[in-house]
């Protein structure tokens, strides 16, 4: 956490325009960190033969909704995040008040929502039913279960052969990557799972969204003086992924680095490319 705070200070100095969103990020990360300390999650049992079959066939180990969630801890964290959200911006504050009203009137039982499988479709349904902003509600729910998901991922990571998977989706939960990372001196490339945070190895020249490996239709752009961040574009599917080059950047939270370089997403969008997994902290 101390390292994260320090990096946030650095980034804020460099790009004062990002101050508000970086402060918000820090507060939520602190709340999530607190929640992690007392987390209780059920263990997941995996059969050895089953595991081998899945890897061979290219199936992820589990589905997103299979992660065990600590419902108590998630409800508590949800409340903390709502408190933070109320001070973040007027739209978020209005949405949080709406949600609190629904909960107070006993129309929505959060504990039940967290205890059942947290499926996106269901979150959308609840948002529809009560006229909530889907993006905000989903962000609050996802941020509240994040510590459980990450703890589940930590348990499953030793079941995975990260170097051999080489696919565009997460070997643990099957989700798409939110970012790509270059690491070690040789610049090995990794993808970061947008859902569970697992990192797995991938080819340098590869579009994770359409499996394109053709050198001629894969290129990248970056901003002058910011070569550690780049946008990897694919001309086959017209989508892109942001890459953070850790060969020339001290180890830091990739999600934070992504958040502090949203201007690169604007650039890519202007050029007509889409980001399949947008940064959940935007809007
Ligand atoms: Zn994953
Ligand atoms: Zn592509």
């Amino acid at each position: 956490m101390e390292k994260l705070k320090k990096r946030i200070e650095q980034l804020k100095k460099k790009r004062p325009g990002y101050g508000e969103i970086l402060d918000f990020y820090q507060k939520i990360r602190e709340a999530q960190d607190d929640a992690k300390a007392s987390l209780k999650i059920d263990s997941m049992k995996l059969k050895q033969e089953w595991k081998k079959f899945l890897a061979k066939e290219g199936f992820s180990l589990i589905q997103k909704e299979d992660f065990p969630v600590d419902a108590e801890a998630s409800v508590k964290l949800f409340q903390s995040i709502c408190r933070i959200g109320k001070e973040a911006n007027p739209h978020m504050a209005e949405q949080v008040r709406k949600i609190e009203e629904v909960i107070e009137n006993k129309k929505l039982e959060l504990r039940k929502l967290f205890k059942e499988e947290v499926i996106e479709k269901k979150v959308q349904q609840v948002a529809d039913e009560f006229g909530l902003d889907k993006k905000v509600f989903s962000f609050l729910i996802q941020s509240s279960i994040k510590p459980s998901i990450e703890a589940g991922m930590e348990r499953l990571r030793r079941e995975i052969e990260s170097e051999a998977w080489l696919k565009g989706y997460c070997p643990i939960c099957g989700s798409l990557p939110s970012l790509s990372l270059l690491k070690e001196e040789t610049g090995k490339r990794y993808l970061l799972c947008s859902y569970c945070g697992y990192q797995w190895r991938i080819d340098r020249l590869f579009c994770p969204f359409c499996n394109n490996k053709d050198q001629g239709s894969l290129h990248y752009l970056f901003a002058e003086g910011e070569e550690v961040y780049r946008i990897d574009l694919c001309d086959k599917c017209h989508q892109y992924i942001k890459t953070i080059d850790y060969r020339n950047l001290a180890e830091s939270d990739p999600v934070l680095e992504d958040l502090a370089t949203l201007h690169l997403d604007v650039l890519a969008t202007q050029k007509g490319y889409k980001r399949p997994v947008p940064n959940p902290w935007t809007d």
Side-chain angles (χ1 to χ4, degrees):
M1 218 49 226
E2 281 315 305
K3 249 170 91 185
L4 183 81
K5 280 189 200 165
K6 242 171 121 182
R7 181 65 184 148
I8 288 176
E9 279 315 309
Q10 273 179 2
L11 288 167
K12 271 163 68 180
K13 263 190 208 134
K14 221 164 120 195
R15 296 198 168 269
Y18 284 103
E20 202 177 300
I21 192 151
L22 294 180
D23 284 338
F24 180 56
Y25 183 75
Q26 182 177 323
K27 282 182 195 151
I28 292 192
R29 282 294 308 271
E30 279 170 336
Q32 288 172 331
D33 207 50
D34 284 347
K36 237 175 187 168
S38 56
L39 210 59
K40 285 186 200 79
I41 61 164
D42 300 334
S43 60
M44 290 168 274
K45 285 192 186 74
L46 296 163
K47 276 194 189 138
Q48 212 57 25
E49 335 62 275
W50 188 226
K51 207 180 82 186
K52 272 195 193 124
F53 166 76
L54 291 174
K56 199 173 139 250
E57 298 296 318
F59 292 122
S60 58
L61 215 49
I62 60 167
Q63 308 275 307
K64 272 162 90 171
E65 50 272 18
D66 294 338
F67 281 105
V69 166
D70 181 336
E72 288 318 310
S74 301
V75 170
K76 256 191 171 162
L77 182 54
F78 186 89
Q79 288 160 347
S80 306
I81 292 176
C82 280
R83 274 195 294 275
I84 298 165
K86 267 190 200 160
E87 288 159 18
N89 63 62
H91 178 63
M92 179 81 87
E94 188 205 321
Q95 286 300 313
V96 168
R97 269 193 290 273
K98 255 182 154 176
I99 294 163
E100 285 176 339
E101 209 175 291
V102 173
I103 294 171
E104 268 163 38
N105 294 336
K106 304 219 181 327
K107 287 181 183 150
L108 170 66
E109 212 191 312
L110 269 182
R111 190 169 287 108
K112 219 175 120 202
L113 185 75
F114 287 130
K115 252 188 189 140
E116 289 165 10
E117 293 174 344
V118 183
I119 305 171
E120 259 155 82
K121 232 164 77 201
K122 180 113 181 284
V123 173
Q124 302 267 311
Q125 267 172 19
V126 173
D128 277 341
E129 194 183 338
F130 300 109
L132 307 169
D133 180 328
K134 277 179 206 168
K135 257 183 122 172
V136 174
F137 186 57
S138 171
F139 173 80
L140 295 172
I141 294 289
Q142 296 301 339
S143 304
S144 306
I145 61 170
K146 193 90 186 161
S148 295
I149 306 299
E150 281 177 355
M153 180 275 281
E154 287 298 336
R155 285 188 190 176
L156 289 176
R157 67 182 319 148
R158 57 193 100 107
E159 312 275 347
I160 292 283
E161 179 43 276
S162 136
E163 299 275 316
W165 179 253
L166 298 173
K167 290 184 173 46
Y169 49 92
C170 175
I172 291 187
C173 74
S175 302
L176 287 176
S178 53
L179 294 166
S180 126
L181 318 167
L182 295 178
K183 297 201 274 192
E184 298 156 44
E185 254 167 66
T186 47
K188 279 188 183 176
R189 190 178 182 209
Y190 292 83
L191 293 176
L192 173 74
C193 177
S194 56
Y195 192 72
C196 73
Y198 184 69
Q199 296 179 12
W200 69 98
R201 180 83 188 279
I202 199 73
D203 289 335
R204 278 292 287 272
L205 268 174
F206 177 74
C207 168
F209 308 119
C210 75
N211 301 330
N212 180 15
K213 286 182 181 171
D214 168 38
Q215 202 170 349
S217 52
L218 292 167
H219 44 106
Y220 61 89
L221 54 90
F222 55 86
E224 199 65 44
E226 276 191 334
E227 285 78 3
V228 292
Y229 308 109
R230 63 180 222 204
I231 297 285
D232 278 281
L233 306 162
C234 172
D235 279 336
K236 225 169 189 172
C237 67
H238 299 281
Q239 302 187 98
Y240 74 90
I241 190 161
K242 193 183 285 175
T243 297
I244 300 162
D245 189 349
Y246 280 109
R247 288 172 302 174
N248 292 306
L249 180 72
E251 205 197 310
S252 62
D253 173 10
V255 179
L256 171 67
E257 300 299 329
D258 180 22
L259 196 58
T261 51
L262 294 176
H263 50 286
L264 294 176
D265 295 273
V266 174
L267 207 67
T269 311
Q270 279 168 352
K271 289 190 181 290
Y273 294 88
K274 247 189 84 193
R275 178 168 170 166
V277 188
N279 185 305
W281 297 78
T282 51
D283 296 346

